[in-house]
Amino acid sequence: MTQTCLVTGGAGFIGCAISDALTAAFDTVVAVDNLHPQIHKTGARPAALNERVELIVADVTEPGTWDEVLAKHRPDTVIHLAAETGTGQSLTEATRHAQVNVVGTTRMLDALAARGIVPQRIVLSSSRAVYGEGEWLDAQGKGHYPGQRSAQMLEQGQWDFPGLRSQPFRCAHTKPAPTSVYGATKLAQEHILSAWCLAFGTGLNILRLQNVYGPGQSLTNPYTGIVSLFARMAKAGKSIPLYEDGHMLRDFVFIDDVAAAIVAAATSDKSGILADIGTGDSLSIAQLASVIGDIYQAPPPHVTGQFRNGDVRHAACDVSATRDTLGWTPQVDAATGARRLCEWIDQRPEQLERL
């Protein structure tokens, strides 16, 4: 029996990274992507997208898109990547984020239901942004959810929550509490898909991704990709500016590891998976800047004290449960991945000249 996989946002960074493996696993792979100019400057089909993938250039928020797609294909598996990203951007462009992330999801589901198409499985690429600040422990080991840092806190340079220590996110334990519009829309995606899949009998696997980076990511999108931003600045011989005090923690997970996790979730016999996808380790922004600065022998990074509303102080995850539920283990540490990204950037001087 032939199997069809539909990938929304399938011409993006992650969509291209999974395309080779998907064409090996499925008879037909269809990517739906609007080739947004924030990511795709020229509007051309990405060279990294496997040639066997059928690309339909269309907007997931438009009903006509689904008329076109579902008239030709009945997907057995759907990988839902299409999303507007960017924590800070979402606070000033909330409608656009809600339109793509929430309405785009419901348009797809309504179209499937209207045609009686019930996929065997849907895989959602969710985000660590659903957790917000997550859980913090006090000196007695009691858990607290301090919520979003206020504008007053940030303006006064109060970066942490006094007397509390941040904890790695664990999907089975940490309560979602988004601090950005983007995070709220990703959590809404999870809830919408959970309700629909339960009602229609479709298996659902949700992966909450940490900070994804690596070769293939956009070098022109100003709202994503702090690793590539740091690399471009260091390559130009500049000192990397550090927001807040430079001690914010992040879990930087390499694109190859993320691709492997998504393909595993799409091809696994298991359904009902909710998993954190990261390295299980964290680096401070200052540590990341030093690693990248050393690669290019750039001046030392410097602290600016600037901040971005909606940003969380620390974000890291525990992947021990993911190893068991998904049979997946990250392979690339942040230092190795940063070097690989820098090597890739070094091979593209023409793109840097346009920045």
Side-chain angles (χ1 to χ4, degrees):
M1 182 174 66
T2 60
Q3 291 282 307
T4 297
C5 180
L6 171 67
V7 188
T8 69
F13 176 33
I14 296 175
C16 288
I18 63 177
S19 64
D20 287 347
L22 291 181
T23 56
F26 293 90
D27 301 288
T28 302
V29 180
V30 182
V32 179
D33 199 299
N34 67 353
L35 298 182
H36 194 286
Q38 185 168 296
I39 305 297
H40 306 274
K41 286 295 184 184
T42 67
R45 179 188 176 106
L49 184 64
N50 187 287
E51 62 182 11
R52 288 181 52 206
V53 174
E54 177 185 346
L55 174 60
I56 298 176
V57 180
D59 190 329
V60 295
T61 68
E62 296 295 334
T65 294
W66 297 107
D67 290 338
E68 176 185 359
V69 173
L70 299 181
K72 297 171 62 179
H73 303 286
R74 296 180 67 88
D76 303 283
T77 297
V78 175
I79 300 177
H80 193 33
L81 305 177
E84 286 290 346
T85 61
T87 299
Q89 183 185 26
S90 72
L91 292 172
T92 56
E93 298 184 31
T95 300
R96 183 156 72 96
H97 281 70
Q99 180 74 6
V100 176
N101 299 355
V102 179
V103 175
T105 301
T106 56
R107 289 280 193 214
M108 175 182 71
L109 297 177
D110 285 350
L112 289 169
R115 290 158 181 80
I117 300 174
V118 180
Q120 297 170 7
R121 175 173 294 116
I122 296 177
V123 177
L124 172 66
S125 64
S126 188
S127 169
R128 57 94 172 161
V130 303
Y131 293 117
E133 292 286 356
E135 183 184 33
W136 292 54
L137 299 184
D138 62 23
Q140 289 72 45
K142 181 180 178 181
H144 299 266
Y145 286 81
Q148 185 170 344
R149 296 180 295 173
S150 67
Q152 183 180 12
M153 285 177 62
L154 296 172
E155 289 166 0
Q156 294 175 350
Q158 183 181 326
W159 312 125
D160 290 293
F161 298 98
L164 301 178
R165 308 186 316 277
S166 69
Q167 299 299 297
F169 305 143
R170 291 177 289 151
C171 61
H173 173 81
T174 310
K175 301 173 186 176
T179 61
S180 67
V181 172
Y182 167 64
T185 61
K186 295 303 289 185
L187 185 58
Q189 281 185 325
E190 292 188 12
H191 289 164
I192 291 166
L193 285 167
S194 295
W196 193 92
C197 288
L198 184 62
F200 283 87
T202 293
L204 175 64
N205 291 334
I206 298 172
L207 306 182
R208 291 174 175 168
L209 310 182
Q210 294 287 313
N211 286 53
V212 185
Y213 74 100
Q217 70 183 117
S218 173
L219 298 180
T220 58
N221 184 356
Y223 297 103
T224 58
I226 189 174
V227 186
S228 64
L229 173 63
F230 282 5
R232 284 166 18 218
M233 298 184 74
K235 181 177 175 63
K238 299 177 181 179
S239 168
I240 297 172
L242 305 175
Y243 276 27
E244 301 185 15
D245 58 0
H247 295 313
M248 308 96 77
L249 297 177
R250 295 292 185 268
D251 187 335
F252 299 99
V253 57
F254 196 65
I255 181 60
D256 291 4
D257 286 333
V258 172
I262 291 173
V263 173
T267 57
S268 172
D269 293 333
K270 297 180 181 178
S271 292
I273 293 173
L274 176 61
D276 294 303
I277 304 299
T279 64
D281 294 317
S282 57
L283 283 180
S284 70
I285 300 301
Q287 288 173 317
L288 173 68
S290 294
V291 167
I292 294 175
D294 288 346
I295 292 172
Y296 290 111
Q297 297 183 324
H302 64 282
V303 173
T304 69
Q306 293 173 276
F307 59 86
R308 189 172 65 170
N309 284 312
D311 263 352
V312 297
R313 176 59 171 170
H314 300 307
C317 71
D318 182 340
V319 296
S320 55
T322 304
R323 294 187 176 98
D324 297 331
T325 58
L326 195 60
W328 167 91
T329 302
Q331 302 295 316
V332 183
D333 62 77
T336 301
R339 291 189 188 91
R340 292 186 187 178
L341 174 62
C342 291
E343 291 170 357
W344 179 78
I345 290 174
D346 291 344
Q347 296 168 6
R348 284 155 179 78
E350 73 288 347
Q351 293 187 30
L352 297 179
E353 289 173 2
R354 295 197 296 266
L355 299 179

